[in-house]
Amino acid sequence: MPLPPDWERKAFGAYRYTVLPFAMALVVWPLVLGGVWAVVRDSESVWGVLLGLVLLGPFAATLTGWGWSELPRTAPVAADIRATDAGPALVLPVPRPSSIRSLVAIAFGVALLGAGLWQLIASLNDDWSSGAAFFFLISLPALFAILLGLGTYKPRKVIDNVGILLTPHHITIDYGDGPTTAAWQDISAVGGRSRREEFRFGSATNLISLVTGDADTGYGTIDISHKNLETDPTRVYHLFVFYVRNPGLRSELGTELGLDRFRRAGYAPEQPAAFVDTDPRL
């Protein structure tokens, strides 16, 4: 299905965008591995090498992750039907809140403290002041990593408690931080736009913007990021456009007919011309 005109195709990855980060990672990783080998072979220079690894290791991992994130991937076509208090609903899966980064940050901080403590103990019979200085130096990023991990930790949500639920009357969006609910009749338009956040040279984030309200009550938007969908975001965009423009067919949401329409992308033939919003915020 065609991308919305304002979406950035780069956000879905391309092999040419992986060349630079992977090339830089290939340069940095040998330095990291060489530092590890130097620590194993020569305990005399362990503090200096470890300090270098503290800087090079995360940098190499970041480059590798950047390159991996730019690899093109085919979005799955995932949807299901779930029973809710308001009746059966078409459910679009979203990623459950993950604490992997938090746990990695905590483990990294503990490893740094262990390395600093090891160097301090090893230097007690020689020059304990250098060991103490190294332990103090390395404890600062270690404590920061541990506090960051503890502060961002979120328990993993049960899959039945998250998702985008579509019923004939309402839309409920829950990423795990609490639901956002809107009635279909309150959605006046659907737009697609891109925004850049965090790393400016990386891919943009493509957004599905549900415009609520009108000129009298005031406009509002509900944004759904393509990164918050575990199914084809382009198909989801056309789904919203289709049902906003065809209120008489919303009754099929939560039924096998609506699920089958999503899986076969049965939106384009009946869909009117692409929506162009005049709201300057989109």
Side-chain angles (χ1 to χ4, degrees):
M1 300 189 73
L3 288 180
D6 292 331
W7 275 15
E8 184 177 286
R9 185 172 295 276
K10 179 185 174 183
F12 300 109
Y15 288 109
R16 64 180 181 274
Y17 299 125
T18 69
V19 175
L20 177 61
F22 274 136
M24 296 174 65
L26 288 175
V27 173
V28 179
W29 274 118
L31 300 178
V32 175
L33 297 177
V36 174
W37 180 250
V39 170
V40 175
R41 291 286 303 273
D42 185 9
S43 61
E44 295 293 330
S45 61
V46 65
W47 69 270
V49 175
L50 283 177
L51 184 60
L53 291 179
V54 170
L55 301 175
L56 290 178
F59 182 56
T62 299
L63 291 173
T64 304
W66 176 21
W68 179 261
S69 68
E70 297 291 354
L71 288 173
R73 293 174 175 81
T74 301
V77 179
D80 203 352
I81 297 176
R82 183 188 303 172
T84 68
D85 294 338
L90 178 69
V91 181
L92 308 177
V94 301
R96 286 181 287 172
S98 175
S99 295
I100 294 178
R101 294 181 181 178
S102 301
L103 296 176
V104 169
I106 294 173
F108 181 67
V110 171
L112 287 183
L113 284 179
L117 185 60
W118 173 46
Q119 176 62 19
L120 176 61
I121 295 174
S123 65
L124 291 178
N125 295 328
D126 187 12
D127 183 11
W128 66 269
S129 60
S130 63
F134 176 75
F135 178 74
F136 174 76
L137 183 64
I138 207 172
S139 65
L140 296 179
L143 291 175
F144 175 78
I146 293 174
L147 292 175
L148 180 64
L150 293 174
T152 58
Y153 178 80
K154 290 183 179 179
R156 190 168 175 81
K157 297 288 185 179
V158 179
I159 192 64
D160 287 343
N161 294 337
V162 295
I164 299 177
L165 283 67
L166 309 176
T167 71
H169 305 289
H170 293 87
I171 301 169
T172 301
I173 303 169
D174 191 353
Y175 301 127
D177 297 326
T180 298
T181 301
W184 280 104
Q185 63 185 14
D186 294 334
I187 299 175
S188 55
V190 180
R193 61 190 177 94
S194 291
R195 74 178 179 202
R196 293 193 171 274
E197 51 192 11
E198 298 175 353
F199 188 49
R200 60 175 298 184
F201 297 104
S203 301
T205 299
N206 293 327
L207 301 173
I208 301 171
S209 295
L210 307 180
V211 183
T212 60
D214 52 38
D216 296 328
T217 61
Y219 290 103
T221 58
I222 301 174
D223 290 334
I224 302 174
S225 163
H226 82 273
K227 297 179 181 179
N228 287 332
L229 290 168
E230 285 197 330
T231 189
D232 184 355
T234 306
R235 194 172 301 228
V236 174
Y237 167 82
H238 288 288
L239 175 151
F240 280 115
V241 171
F242 179 82
Y243 286 114
V244 166
R245 297 297 181 93
N246 297 275
L249 295 176
R250 294 172 191 164
S251 59
E252 68 186 27
L253 290 170
T255 68
E256 290 294 334
L257 183 60
L259 180 60
D260 176 69
R261 185 187 294 277
F262 179 78
R263 289 174 174 170
R264 62 183 172 82
Y267 305 121
E270 298 92 343
Q271 179 187 320
F275 165 74
V276 178
D277 190 75
T278 57
D279 188 349
R281 292 171 299 174
L282 293 180

